[in-house]
Amino acid sequence: SQTIHQWPATLVQPVGSPLSLECTVEGTSNPNLYWYRQAAGRGLQLLFYSVGIGQISSEVPQNLSASRPQDRQFILSSKKLLLSDSGFYLCAWSVGEGYNEQFFGPGTRLTVL
Amino acid sequence: QQPVQSPQAVILREGEDAVINCSSSKALYSVHWYRQKHGEAPVFLMILLKGGEQKGHDKISASFNEKKQQSSLYLTASQLSYSGTYFCGTEINNFNKFYFGSGTKLNVKP
């Protein structure tokens, strides 16, 4: 069966510090991968999505970046965090066409102080 | 690109019905519905494809009006377990890219 892992589960970082969030998927190959951010009490904002290794599409350029070094690994990074980067970061995967459901990971709750 | 959901919040008594709407300014390829409990990840409910179909399981169903670029989620005889925030996710061009609405918070009370 397929599983998706995210770590860390929670993170408290000072403004200006770097960030690296990791997401890995097991039990499937060539998944579509997504990073979303959810601010407190708000909806899901698509940040990045990838349909293959090295293929990253950005929706919110700002100070975040994403990489996909391996087929089932998706990394979200920042060189310098801002207060506005606080939120609940969710990684998701799907396979095939868009009409297939997305499976979400457990999320990382990031607080920038 | 982000769809608009309404209402923003609903309070129901057990057994009552609710309708959540999702509308887009763009032509839609598919609409996904998810439910999120507080502090947890969203969980998939159903997908509706271009073609104006209707789907349902148990007492939760949905419709997709392609011409109006709208989808509605119907919750019948609500149960306490239905409480949570409901999101619609819309796909515009079948490019595996989704935009989610801001959510509808549903609170079912005994």
Side-chain angles (χ1 to χ4, degrees):
Chain A
S1 63
Q2 302 92 348
T3 55
I4 178 169
H5 304 280
Q6 279 188 250
W7 64 91
T10 58
L11 192 59
V12 179
Q13 292 284 97
V15 169
S17 63
L19 174 74
S20 181
L21 302 181
E22 190 163 342
C23 169
T24 59
V25 180
E26 296 177 358
T28 187
S29 59
N30 197 30
N32 305 311
L33 295 173
Y34 305 84
W35 277 112
Y36 293 92
R37 177 171 61 199
Q38 188 175 32
R42 304 292 296 276
L44 298 164
Q45 179 187 28
L46 177 64
L47 300 176
F48 300 94
Y49 72 103
S50 170
V51 297
I53 295 175
Q55 299 177 61
I56 311 290
S57 294
S58 171
E59 289 293 303
V60 183
Q62 294 181 354
N63 66 319
L64 298 173
S65 62
S67 62
R68 185 170 177 172
Q70 299 179 44
D71 182 44
R72 289 168 289 178
Q73 184 184 30
F74 205 23
I75 297 171
L76 181 70
S77 304
S78 174
K79 291 182 180 178
K80 286 187 178 182
L81 284 169
L82 306 172
L83 284 174
S84 57
D85 290 325
S86 292
F88 191 38
Y89 286 80
L90 290 157
C91 179
W93 70 271
S94 68
V95 290
E97 301 297 328
Y99 49 75
N100 291 316
E101 67 183 280
Q102 290 190 29
F103 299 91
F104 285 85
T108 294
R109 193 161 300 281
L110 172 66
T111 303
V112 183
L113 301 173
Chain B
Q1 308 266 38
Q2 191 176 14
V4 176
Q5 279 186 242
S6 64
Q8 288 185 318
V10 184
I11 299 175
L12 296 175
R13 293 285 178 192
E14 259 187 304
E16 292 182 338
D17 303 338
V19 180
I20 299 171
N21 299 304
C22 174
S23 63
S24 172
S25 59
K26 304 269 187 182
L28 300 176
Y29 183 82
S30 69
V31 178
H32 297 212
W33 285 97
Y34 294 81
R35 177 171 60 210
Q36 184 179 32
K37 300 278 187 179
H38 182 70
E40 299 178 5
V43 173
F44 171 78
L45 293 175
M46 64 188 77
I47 293 173
L48 300 106
L49 300 180
K50 183 177 175 180
E53 63 171 339
Q54 192 152 350
K55 272 192 176 181
H57 65 88
D58 198 12
K59 292 176 180 157
I60 299 176
S61 62
S63 62
F64 178 19
N65 187 320
E66 184 184 339
K67 288 183 180 178
K68 292 185 178 179
Q69 295 161 191
Q70 292 176 347
S71 177
S72 294
L73 186 72
Y74 307 94
L75 299 111
T76 307
S78 57
Q79 305 167 17
L80 293 176
S81 61
Y82 286 5
S83 292
T85 301
Y86 290 78
F87 293 98
C88 68
T90 54
E91 185 193 14
I92 295 171
N93 293 322
N94 190 23
F95 288 158
N96 296 315
K97 188 166 67 172
F98 296 88
Y99 297 97
F100 283 86
S102 55
T104 296
K105 191 170 183 178
L106 179 72
N107 187 1
V108 181
K109 297 188 173 182

